[in-house]
Amino acid sequence: MNERIVDLLKKNHLSITESRKKILSHFLDANGALAHADIEHKSGTEFDRVTIYRTLQTFVEKGMIHTIPTTDNSVRYALCKDECSAGHHHDDHVHFMCDECGTTYCLDHVIVPQVALPEGFKAIRNDLVVSGICNKCS
Amino acid sequence: MNERIVDLLKKNHLSITESRKKILSHFLDANGALAHADIEHKSGTEFDRVTIYRTLQTFVEKGMIHTIPTTDNSVRYALCKDECSAGHHHDDHVHFMCDECGTTYCLDHVIVPQVALPEGFKAIRNDLVVSGICNKCS
DNA sequence: ACAACAATGCAACACTGTTGCAAAATTTAT
DNA sequence: ATAAATTTTGCAACAGTGTTGCATTGTTGT
Ligand SMILES: [Mn+2]
Ligand SMILES: [Mn+2]
Ligand SMILES: [Zn+2]
Ligand SMILES: [Zn+2]
């Protein structure tokens, strides 16, 4: 378990620090996406708030996690697949937010469909967020 | 012009106040969506920040405007179509955010497609945000 | 014009996110 | 293993966003 975390950090050319290991482990343990506040609560007073912000930024830049657009305008993060890297993200999957339990899921196997836009509009990224009832709450 | 604004407020059983008239006129003038901060800047020191927040809330509740899910996690509002009312919103259209000019558009004629979800997930709302280059910037 | 009611401004507060800088930890070179 | 070079962290300070309570003001219907 700890091995996998250290390997992940090494693979991304990041120095091995307590905060990074712990924050990364929270993502590996979680089944849904995590908000900054979630990590802050899970970590207690272990790290400074600022450290969490900077660690999340770093992880995003390295392609280890990705942000999720949410309808309630909170920022959430989830682990990326192995295919993702610093340059290339593979964020073409649908995200699901449960109205009941609040969990946000990456539906990795549900691909966002393309839509035809009006004349002159050029799509670069498509984000589809589905809200409703998740499989655990139904 | 002023007539239309007063009518819209009356139709929604809202008392006619300076703030509501001005804020509503900003939406009628704008071609894209507006954030709270946009209205604050347009209004100068005319109203208190809190009044703007409360007015926006009221307009949303009455079905006059709707919030737009954005990828940069800012809250933006746009005028609803006439079909929208306090109970029923018709928010099944795609939204577009221009990476160049930052404008957010309601693409009223582009409908969000349905997607097949994994077993146990039940969709209640679908929000599709497309980012890219708008017709004015291309 | 008046009473009843609703909306506003102000103050205070909580939460989110960013930056600069000194101290501490990690990595690299000796 | 030690020391130097580089990164990361914690702290403090700050700006922005959004909410609430309460007294004051404005709007509405009679
Ligand atoms: Mn995802
Ligand atoms: Mn819209
Ligand atoms: Zn759920
Ligand atoms: Zn544009």
Side-chain angles (χ1 to χ4, degrees), chain A residues 97-135:
Chain A
M97 296 183 67
C98 181
D99 294 332
E100 194 77 19
C101 66
T103 309
T104 303
Y105 300 86
C106 291
L107 301 181
D108 295 304
H109 301 300
V110 185
I111 302 301
V112 178
Q114 299 282 117
V115 291
L117 301 178
E119 199 53 38
F121 287 83
K122 206 163 77 182
I124 292 179
R125 226 182 62 209
N126 292 37
D127 285 295
L128 177 57
V129 181
V130 181
S131 325
I133 308 295
C134 80
N135 56 350

Side-chain angles (χ1 to χ4, degrees), chain B residues 98 101 134 137:
Chain B
C98 181
C101 65
C134 81
C137 294

Side-chain angles (χ1 to χ4, degrees), chain B:
Chain B
M1 182 59 91
N2 206 303
E3 276 304 306
R4 186 181 166 196
I5 290 170
V6 170
D7 282 353
L8 239 163
L9 289 172
K10 279 185 183 166
K11 193 182 301 176
N12 287 284
H13 312 290
L14 291 175
S15 38
I16 318 297
T17 68
E18 279 310 306
S19 1
R20 286 175 180 166
K21 282 193 285 184
K22 273 284 175 62
I23 293 173
L24 198 42
S25 80
H26 287 141
F27 278 105
L28 291 165
D29 292 347
N31 70 324
L34 297 178
H36 174 275
D38 295 329
I39 298 168
E40 205 173 334
H41 292 140
K42 281 179 199 287
S43 305
T45 60
E46 215 167 351
F47 323 111
D48 195 77
R49 261 172 7 94
V50 178
T51 299
I52 300 177
Y53 278 115
R54 291 198 265 229
T55 303
L56 290 172
Q57 264 183 221
T58 303
F59 286 178
V60 169
E61 282 162 14
K62 291 294 183 177
M64 300 164 67
I65 61 177
H66 63 278
T67 60
I68 299 179
T70 57
T71 45
D72 63 348
N73 283 99
S74 64
V75 183
R76 304 204 187 183
Y77 302 86
L79 274 183
C80 286
K81 299 299 134 189
D82 292 337
E83 304 91 74
C84 292
S85 61
H88 268 11
H89 269 270
H90 292 252
D91 272 347
D92 51 357
H93 58 275
V94 172
H95 290 103
F96 187 94
M97 295 182 68
C98 181
D99 294 333
E100 196 76 20
C101 65
T103 309
T104 303
Y105 300 87
C106 290
L107 302 181
D108 294 305
H109 301 299
V110 185
I111 302 300
V112 178
Q114 298 281 117
V115 291
L117 301 178
E119 198 51 38
F121 288 82
K122 206 164 76 184
I124 292 179
R125 226 182 63 210
N126 292 36
D127 284 294
L128 177 58
V129 182
V130 180
S131 325
I133 309 295
C134 81
N135 57 350
K136 280 174 191 151
C137 294
S138 64

Side-chain angles (χ1 to χ4, degrees), chain A residues 16-55:
Chain A
I16 318 296
T17 69
E18 280 308 307
S19 2
R20 285 174 181 168
K21 282 193 285 184
K22 273 284 174 65
I23 291 174
L24 197 43
S25 79
H26 287 142
F27 278 105
L28 291 164
D29 291 348
N31 70 325
L34 296 178
H36 174 277
D38 294 330
I39 297 167
E40 204 171 337
H41 291 142
K42 280 179 200 290
S43 305
T45 60
E46 216 168 348
F47 323 111
D48 194 80
R49 261 169 10 94
V50 178
T51 300
I52 299 177
Y53 278 113
R54 290 197 267 229
T55 303

Side-chain angles (χ1 to χ4, degrees), chain A residues 66-68 78-80 90-91 93-95 105-108:
Chain A
H66 62 279
T67 60
I68 299 180
L79 275 182
C80 285
H90 292 253
D91 272 349
H93 58 274
V94 173
H95 291 102
Y105 300 86
C106 291
L107 301 181
D108 295 304

